[in-house]
């Protein structure tokens, strides 16, 4: 066992930061004993802030139309094989009604950058949800928009916004995206969201084509500056109808290592165990929770839509009903000694670490 790496893990848990070379050492080549120490430290950091709680977010994938042509994404505009769909406003509200009955208190509206959903439409949907369910939070994940659009969504009642930076390195970003998209604009969006007052989520794909340890370290430094409330990471998984179809997927080990590192760097961040993690390993989400994650996102989208929102190949849970998906995840979470929370589950930055009371069901 490498005692130096163990010392680095202890230092990261204590100081929430390391030199670049020490981060690089923790990202690759850990022994099983070192992995166990890293994951144990991450779990302890999570439990000090959130106890045993794992938060559920009700995911509604409301459109798979997208104007962008990102090289890794299955709903890119050039994919003629994609079966396109849009949920109506009524269908979105029906998903929320079903989710509310199942105990969800956060709804995540995710979609491609679809011009059909204008600012006015999104504002109407957000205000409709908040009007019906004032005790719930609305999270948006609808890509890059002008600052004025973000402000309008916030004013309508959206409180959280998810937008992965994907990579903080401009050259690497250019390898993953067409020329009309830029790392500079993506970062501008994240800073706009933070300044407006959103709880902001960023993140990256682990093992994306061309990614190096230095790229990941650049992402860590960017996130230190941004101080997000949520960080979403998952392994890169290729899609058969994209230019990256033949590239290898990101690995389980690399993703778990980074999850644990992020938990130690940001003890109070909301950190999902993603569907992509569950796709590359049958117990990927459970392993993610054991590495420091504390959020899962069951799918509330209509069953007929789930199999069409395919950012990557092999996505799990596309045929499950919402109730079955929730029950399955609750059992999985319990299997690793954690418990589901159905509250809004806000980031506890600057708050007491005492557990929140369970809301009445």
């Amino acid at each position: 066992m490498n005692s130096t790496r163990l010392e680095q893990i202890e230092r990261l848990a204590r100081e929430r930061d390391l030199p670049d070379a020490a981060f690089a050492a923790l990202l690759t080549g850990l022994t099983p004993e070192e992995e166990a120490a890293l994951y144990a430290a991450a779990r302890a950091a999570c439990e000090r802030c959130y106890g045993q709680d794992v938060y559920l977010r009700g995911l509604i994938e409301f459109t798979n139309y997208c104007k962008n042509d990102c090289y890794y994404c299955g709903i890119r505009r050039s994919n003629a094989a994609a079966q396109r769909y849009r949920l109506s406003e009524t269908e979105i509200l029906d998903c929320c009604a079903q989710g509310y009955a199942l105990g969800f208190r956060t709804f995540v509206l995710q979609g491609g950058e679809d011009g059909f959903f204008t600012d006015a439409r999104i504002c109407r949907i957000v205000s409709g949800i908040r009007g019906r369910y004032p005790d719930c939070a609305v999270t948006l994940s609808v890509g890059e928009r002008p600052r004025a659009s973000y402000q309008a969504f916030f004013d309508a009642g959206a409180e959280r916004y998810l937008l992965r930076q994907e990579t903080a390195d401009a050259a690497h970003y250019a390898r993953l995206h067409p020329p009309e998209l830029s790392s500079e604009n993506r970062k501008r969006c994240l800073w706009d969201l933070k300044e407006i007052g959103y709880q902001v989520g960023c993140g990256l794909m682990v093992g994306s084509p061309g990614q190096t340890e230095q790229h990941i370290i650049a992402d860590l430094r960017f996130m230190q500056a941004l101080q997000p409330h949520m960080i979403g990471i998952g392994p890169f998984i290729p899609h058969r109808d994209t230019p990256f179809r033949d590239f290898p997927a990101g690995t389980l080990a690399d993703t778990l290592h980074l999850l644990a590192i992020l938990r130690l760097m940001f003890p109070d961040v909301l950190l999902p165990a993603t569907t992509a993690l569950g796709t590359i390993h049958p117990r990927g989400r459970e392993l993610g929770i054991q590495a420091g994650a504390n959020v899962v996102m069951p799918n509330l989208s209509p069953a007929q839509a789930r199999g069409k929102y395919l950012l990557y190949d092999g996505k799990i849970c596309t045929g499950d009903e919402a109730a079955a998906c929730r029950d399955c995840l609750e059992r999985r979470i319990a299997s690793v000694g954690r418990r589901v929370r159905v509250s809004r589950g806000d980031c506890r930055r600057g708050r007491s670490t005492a557990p929140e009371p369970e809301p009445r069901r």
Side-chain angles (χ1 to χ4, degrees), residues 186-238:
R186 181 63 63 105
K187 292 176 183 177
R188 186 272 306 166
C189 291
L190 285 163
W191 285 114
D192 282 351
L193 291 161
K194 190 82 183 288
E195 290 168 6
I196 288 168
Y198 283 92
Q199 293 184 41
V200 175
C202 62
L204 65 143
M205 294 179 295
V206 180
S208 59
Q211 187 182 68
T212 66
E213 292 169 16
Q214 293 308 309
H215 292 147
I216 294 176
I217 292 167
D219 281 301
L220 297 179
R221 299 305 181 202
F222 170 73
M223 290 187 280
Q224 283 179 317
L226 182 67
Q227 287 294 307
H229 302 85
M230 301 165 277
I231 300 174
I233 72 165
F236 164 74
I237 302 174

Side-chain angles (χ1 to χ4, degrees), residues 235-314:
F236 164 74
I237 302 174
H239 189 288
R240 62 186 176 276
D241 297 318
T242 69
F244 291 149
R245 64 179 68 85
D246 297 322
F247 281 73
T251 70
L252 176 71
D254 287 347
T255 307
L256 295 178
H257 293 170
L258 187 55
L259 274 172
I261 288 168
L262 288 167
R263 173 58 68 196
L264 293 176
M265 293 179 69
F266 307 98
D268 51 13
V269 81
L270 293 164
L271 193 61
T274 62
T275 302
L277 197 53
T279 297
I280 65 167
H281 189 282
R283 297 187 69 252
R285 288 171 294 185
E286 294 95 313
L287 294 170
I289 290 168
Q290 291 179 305
N294 68 330
V295 174
V296 291
M297 294 189 180
N299 202 323
L300 296 178
S301 307
Q304 67 271 19
R306 293 187 201 175
K308 299 174 184 177
Y309 197 87
L310 297 177
L311 308 184
Y312 50 82
D313 285 343

